[in-house]
Amino acid sequence: MIQKKTIAVLGMMCAGCAANVEKKLNTLEGIVSASINLPGRTALIEYDTERISLEQMKEALSGIGYDMVIEEDRNVEAIERQAYRALRNKVILSWCFALLVMAVSMGWILSAQSFETRNQIALIIALINLVYCGRQFYISACRQLMHGSANMDTLVALSTGISFIFSVFNTFWGNDFWGSRGIENHTYFDASVMIITFVLTGRLLEERAKQGTAGSIRSLMGLQPKTAHCINDDTLVDIPISAVQKGDLLEARPGEKIPVDGLMIGSDTVYIDESMMTGEAVPIEKEPGDKVLAGTIVKQGVLKMKAEVIGQKTVLANMIRMVQEAQGSKAPVQRIVDRVALIFVPTVVGLAIVTFLVWYLIGGQELLPQAILSAVSVLVIACPCAMGLATPTALMVGIGKAAEKSILIKDATALEELRHIDAMVVDKTGTITEPHPTGEQLKPHAAEAIDTLKQQGIEIYMMSGDKEERVATIAQQAHISHYQSQVLPQDKDNLVKKLQQEGHRVAMVGDGINDSQALATADVSIAMGRGTDVAMDVAQVTLMTTDLRRIPEAIRLSRKTVSMIHQNLFWAFIYNMVCIPLAAGLLHLFGYQWQITPMWASALMAFSSVSVVLNSLRLKLTKA
C-alpha cells in the first residue's frame, strides 16, 4: 500500500546534508519519492509499506549520520530544545576558548613567556576546542567520506584540520624549517578556533531564526486539545485525546476547545468560535445535529456532542498534514538548487586545491604559508547553506502565513504557479453566490474581490448551469463581463482548455463537485467551502472560508513569496561568486595586498546563512 508521511529527521545542518539525505532515501527500494525540508528538519516520504518499513529507512539514514524520528514516544520538539541548549553551551565555551587562544597568541597575556611557550599553550587550548566543541564536524565529515559524499561539515573539518596541523608543525619545527630559508614563522591556532566558533555561532543564530519560520505550523498544532471530557454514566471523566473512540459522548465548556469532529446533541443553545477554520470572527450558533470541528472553541453554552471523526482524520489534523506536506514540498526552482548543492562541496574542495597550487607555483616555499591560508579561506567562506535555505525558508513562511489566513496551499508548485495566473474561471453557485437554492444571493465582498483580481491583471469568466437571466444579474452585481449560462461540467473544462490554448495561465475556482473536471485541467485549482465541505483532496488551494477576498490575497502572497525566493537565491549565489575569489587572494593580482582571512571567512559564512533566514522572515511582517 502506498502511504505518504512527514517524518522528522535530526542532524541536518546544511543544503549538502539535505541533499545527501534525500539522495539516500530515493535510492532505497520501495520509496516512491522523498523530499527534504531543511528548515523544518523533515522528510516528506511516499513509500510502499509492503516493500519498505520506517525502521529500514531509519537504519539507512543512521549509516550516514542522521536520525529519523519514527518512535511515538520521542518528542521532536523536546529533542530539538535539548539540542539547542547543548549547541548554545558549546558556543559559549567555544567563545571562551577563542578569546583565550587569541589573547595568548597575541601576547595580551603571558607576554613574559617565550614565543614557543605561548604557541604550545595555544596548541593545547585549540586542541581542547577542536575535540570538545568541534568534534561533530570531524565525525560527520568521516561518515560522509565513508559513503562517498560531502557536506558543510567536510569544509569545516578540512579547513580547521589543515590550519591546526600546519600550526603544530610550525610550533615545533617551524623555526628550523622556515628560518633556514629566511621566512618568518607563524602559527594559526586562533584561526582554527575562530572558524569553529563562528560556524557554531552562525548555526545557533540560524536555529533561532528558523523557529520563526515554523511558527505557523506550531500554531496550528497548538489548536489540538490534549484531553476530552467523556460522559460516562452521567459523570465526566477526563481522558487523553488519543483514547476517544467514535460514538463516545463528550462535553466541552465555554472557553474550551472541541476535542474531535462530531455532531452536537442536546437542546441547549451553543455558540462556537470557528475563526481558525473559516476566518469568521463572529461565533456561530449551533443546533442539535450540526457538525462541530476539533480545535474550535465553545464561546457560550455547554456543548454535548457525539464523536464522529477522531485521530488523524479530523479536519484540523488534515489541515496540519496538508500544511506540513506543502512546506516540505519543493518548488521547481529548488530542484536546480538541489543539484548544485550535491556538487558544491566537491567543487569548493577542488577550488581550494587550485588556489593552493597557484600560490605555490607563483612563490614556491616562500609563499607556502600564503598558499595554505588562501586554500583554508576558500574552504571556509564557501557556503551551500545559504543556497539550500533560500527557497524552503521562504516557502515555509509563505505557506504558513497563508494557513493563518484560512488559505491551504497543497504544494510549493501551486504557490509558485499562482503568481502567473492571468485568467480565472469561476463557478457561480457556491462560489460567487451563497450555496442555498433559495438564496441563488451574492456573497459579501464578492464584487470587491473580483475588482481586486482585475487590478491584478486577471480576467474573470463566470460559468453556471443556471438560467440566463439570473446569471446575467449576478454577473452585473459582481462586476463580471465574461459569463455563460446553462452550461454543463464539460463546458467549464472546455473553456479552461480554450484559454490555455490561447496562452493564458488559468485558475479554476469551484466547489469541487460538478467543477472537478475543470479543476483537474486548470493550471491552479482552487476549492471554495468551509469545514468538512472543502475539497481538500481535489484542489491545489483550498479556502477554509467563503470570503472571496482570500483569492487575491493568495495571489499576492504567491508573488511576494516567489520574489523573496529570488532575492534569497540572488544574494546566496552572489555571496559565493564574490567571496570565494576574494578569499583565494584574487586582489593580489591587481596589486592590492588584501584578502579575506580564515577567521573573517568563517564569520561571513555564518552571516550569509542567517541573513537568508532573516530575509524570509520579513514575509511575516508584510500584508498578504
Side-chain angles (χ1 to χ4, degrees), residues 268-286:
D268 293 343
T269 300
V270 178
Y271 287 86
I272 295 176
D273 178 2
E274 293 187 341
S275 58
M276 51 80 66
M277 289 289 183
T278 65
E280 305 293 338
V282 180
I284 299 171
E285 182 180 359
K286 293 291 183 178

Side-chain angles (χ1 to χ4, degrees), residues 15-28:
C17 295
N20 289 334
V21 171
E22 186 169 293
K23 181 180 178 182
K24 183 66 175 179
L25 287 173
N26 281 310
T27 58
L28 299 178

Side-chain angles (χ1 to χ4, degrees), residues 7-14 17-18 21 36-43 58 61-62 64-71 74-84 140 143-144 207 218:
I7 308 171
V9 178
L10 305 178
M12 297 187 296
M13 292 296 177
C14 70
C17 295
V21 171
I36 300 300
N37 177 5
L38 178 58
R41 303 289 197 272
T42 59
K58 179 183 176 75
L61 291 188
S62 178
I64 58 173
Y66 304 99
D67 183 19
M68 180 180 280
V69 183
I70 60 174
E71 302 85 356
R74 291 182 71 190
N75 187 308
V76 176
E77 287 191 12
I79 295 171
E80 289 180 340
R81 283 195 300 268
Q82 185 178 359
Y84 179 83
S140 174
R143 282 177 173 167
Q144 298 297 325
E207 289 301 314
R218 286 176 179 160

Side-chain angles (χ1 to χ4, degrees), residues 175-184 365-366:
N175 287 334
D176 293 336
F177 185 84
W178 302 112
S180 63
R181 292 164 174 78
I183 302 172
E184 190 174 355
Q365 290 185 353
E366 186 175 346

Side-chain angles (χ1 to χ4, degrees), residues 218-230 238-239 241 244 250-261 270-274 276-277 292-301 303 305 316 320:
R218 286 176 179 160
S219 297
L220 281 176
M221 295 177 103
L223 294 172
Q224 294 178 303
K226 302 295 187 292
T227 59
H229 305 310
C230 185
D238 286 349
I239 60 174
I241 201 73
V244 176
L250 309 174
E251 181 176 298
R253 302 159 188 158
E256 294 181 340
K257 296 172 184 174
I258 297 175
V260 296
D261 294 355
V270 178
Y271 287 86
I272 295 176
D273 178 2
E274 293 187 341
M276 51 80 66
M277 289 289 183
V292 292
L293 303 174
T296 57
I297 301 171
V298 178
K299 301 299 288 186
Q300 182 180 328
L303 172 70
M305 62 173 288
L316 177 58
I320 293 171

Side-chain angles (χ1 to χ4, degrees), residues 45-65:
I45 305 173
E46 190 173 4
Y47 65 102
D48 187 341
T49 56
E50 295 178 359
R51 298 171 61 196
I52 190 169
S53 66
L54 293 177
E55 288 75 15
Q56 289 172 309
M57 297 180 211
K58 179 183 176 75
E59 184 179 354
L61 291 188
S62 178
I64 58 173

Side-chain angles (χ1 to χ4, degrees), residues 208-424:
R208 284 288 299 272
K210 282 178 187 173
Q211 290 174 7
T213 65
S216 299
I217 190 65
R218 286 176 179 160
S219 297
L220 281 176
M221 295 177 103
L223 294 172
Q224 294 178 303
K226 302 295 187 292
T227 59
H229 305 310
C230 185
I231 303 174
N232 189 0
D233 295 330
D234 295 329
T235 61
L236 286 182
V237 179
D238 286 349
I239 60 174
I241 201 73
S242 58
V244 176
Q245 300 293 319
K246 184 177 180 180
D248 283 353
L249 301 182
L250 309 174
E251 181 176 298
R253 302 159 188 158
E256 294 181 340
K257 296 172 184 174
I258 297 175
V260 296
D261 294 355
L263 299 177
M264 177 179 166
I265 58 176
S267 57
D268 293 343
T269 300
V270 178
Y271 287 86
I272 295 176
D273 178 2
E274 293 187 341
S275 58
M276 51 80 66
M277 289 289 183
T278 65
E280 305 293 338
V282 180
I284 299 171
E285 182 180 359
K286 293 291 183 178
E287 299 177 352
D290 285 348
K291 294 177 181 178
V292 292
L293 303 174
T296 57
I297 301 171
V298 178
K299 301 299 288 186
Q300 182 180 328
V302 177
L303 172 70
K304 294 188 186 321
M305 62 173 288
K306 180 181 179 181
E308 290 287 323
V309 182
I310 60 175
Q312 297 303 307
K313 296 182 179 179
T314 65
V315 171
L316 177 58
N318 279 329
M319 283 178 64
I320 293 171
R321 175 186 55 79
M322 179 179 279
V323 174
Q324 283 180 321
E325 290 182 359
Q327 289 182 332
S329 63
K330 292 185 184 292
V333 68
Q334 180 65 18
R335 304 290 178 184
I336 301 172
V337 177
D338 288 345
R339 289 195 288 271
V340 172
L342 276 174
I343 64 170
F344 187 88
V345 174
T347 301
V348 170
V349 173
L351 288 173
I353 294 172
V354 170
T355 299
F356 173 83
L357 292 175
V358 169
W359 276 106
Y360 188 74
L361 290 174
I362 290 173
Q365 290 185 353
E366 186 175 346
L367 289 184
L368 182 59
Q370 175 70 37
I372 292 175
L373 285 179
S374 298
V376 167
S377 295
V378 169
L379 288 172
V380 173
I381 201 144
C383 186
C385 302
M387 289 188 295
L389 291 169
T391 300
T393 51
L395 286 176
M396 284 191 72
V397 176
I399 291 171
K401 189 176 178 69
E404 290 176 351
K405 293 179 173 292
S406 302
I407 304 167
L408 298 186
I409 298 175
K410 197 167 189 177
D411 55 43
T413 302
L415 182 67
E416 187 169 354
E417 192 64 30
L418 265 172
R419 71 191 179 103
H420 293 301
I421 295 303
D422 58 7
M424 185 173 292

